[in-house]
Amino acid sequence: MRVIENICLLLGRLLMGTYFILPGLQKITNYQTMTDYMLAHSVPATAFLLPVTIVIQILLGLAIIIGFKGKLAAFILAGLTLVISIYMHDFWSMAESLERTHETQNFFKNMGIMAGLLMVSSIGTGWLSLDNRKANNL
C-alpha cells in the first residue's frame, strides 16, 4: 500500500472511531433520555442493549482508532450501525414530514458509515496501526 493510502486509512480511522466514541459517551451523560428514545422506537431489551451499545461504541471506536483487531472491530460496528439504523431511523414508517426527511438522511448517512466500516473490515487498518505492528513483530 502506498503512503497516501495509509495516511488516508489513519485519518479515516480517527474520524470513524470518534464517530462512535462521542455518541457512546453522550449515551452515558444522557442515559435516561436515550432509554426513553429507544423505548419510543420499540427497541427490545433496552435495559440490556443500551449499556452493551455504549461499551461497543466506546471500546470498538478506540480499537478502530489505534488499529487493534481493526477488521473485527469494523465488522462488529458495521452490524451495530445497521441495527441502530433499522430501529432508530425508520423513515419508512413515518408520514411525509421534515422529521421523515431528517431520518432518511440519518439512515443513508449511516449506510455510508457502514460502507466505510466494511471497507476497513476488508482491507485492514494499514501500516499505522497496532495490527500491523503485531504482524511485523512475529
Side-chain angles (χ1 to χ4, degrees), residues 49-60:
L49 290 177
L50 180 54
V52 168
T53 299
I54 291 168
V55 170
I56 290 172
Q57 285 184 314
I58 294 171
L59 291 183
L60 298 188

Side-chain angles (χ1 to χ4, degrees), residues 100-112:
R100 180 179 179 172
T101 300
H102 180 73
E103 292 305 332
T104 301
Q105 290 172 345
N106 278 332
F107 183 87
F108 285 102
K109 171 204 42 113
N110 281 2
M111 293 303 99

Side-chain angles (χ1 to χ4, degrees), residues 88-131:
M88 306 304 283
H89 304 297
D90 56 339
F91 66 91
W92 52 87
S93 68
M94 299 175 171
E96 195 61 45
S97 65
L98 183 59
E99 183 183 11
R100 180 179 179 172
T101 300
H102 180 73
E103 292 305 332
T104 301
Q105 290 172 345
N106 278 332
F107 183 87
F108 285 102
K109 171 204 42 113
N110 281 2
M111 293 303 99
I113 296 294
M114 190 173 140
L117 288 163
L118 290 173
M119 285 188 228
V120 171
S121 71
S122 174
I123 64 174
T125 54
W127 55 262
L128 296 169
S129 69
L130 288 180
D131 288 339

Side-chain angles (χ1 to χ4, degrees), residues 38 41-44 82-90 92 107:
M38 290 172 71
H41 282 86
S42 302
V43 175
L82 179 61
V83 171
I84 288 172
S85 297
I86 289 170
Y87 274 100
M88 306 304 283
H89 304 297
D90 56 339
W92 52 87
F107 183 87

Side-chain angles (χ1 to χ4, degrees), residues 4-70:
I4 190 70
E5 292 167 335
N6 281 288
I7 291 171
C8 287
L9 270 172
L10 174 62
L11 293 175
R13 288 186 0 245
L14 289 170
L15 290 169
M16 198 166 296
T18 303
Y19 176 82
F20 287 97
I21 293 168
L22 291 179
L25 294 173
Q26 289 171 341
K27 285 175 178 68
I28 294 169
T29 59
N30 297 303
Y31 197 86
Q32 189 57 52
T33 301
M34 182 51 63
T35 298
D36 296 342
Y37 189 66
M38 290 172 71
L39 290 170
H41 282 86
S42 302
V43 175
T46 298
F48 172 75
L49 290 177
L50 180 54
V52 168
T53 299
I54 291 168
V55 170
I56 290 172
Q57 285 184 314
I58 294 171
L59 291 183
L60 298 188
L62 286 169
I64 291 287
I65 289 173
I66 64 174
F68 177 73
K69 305 262 185 209

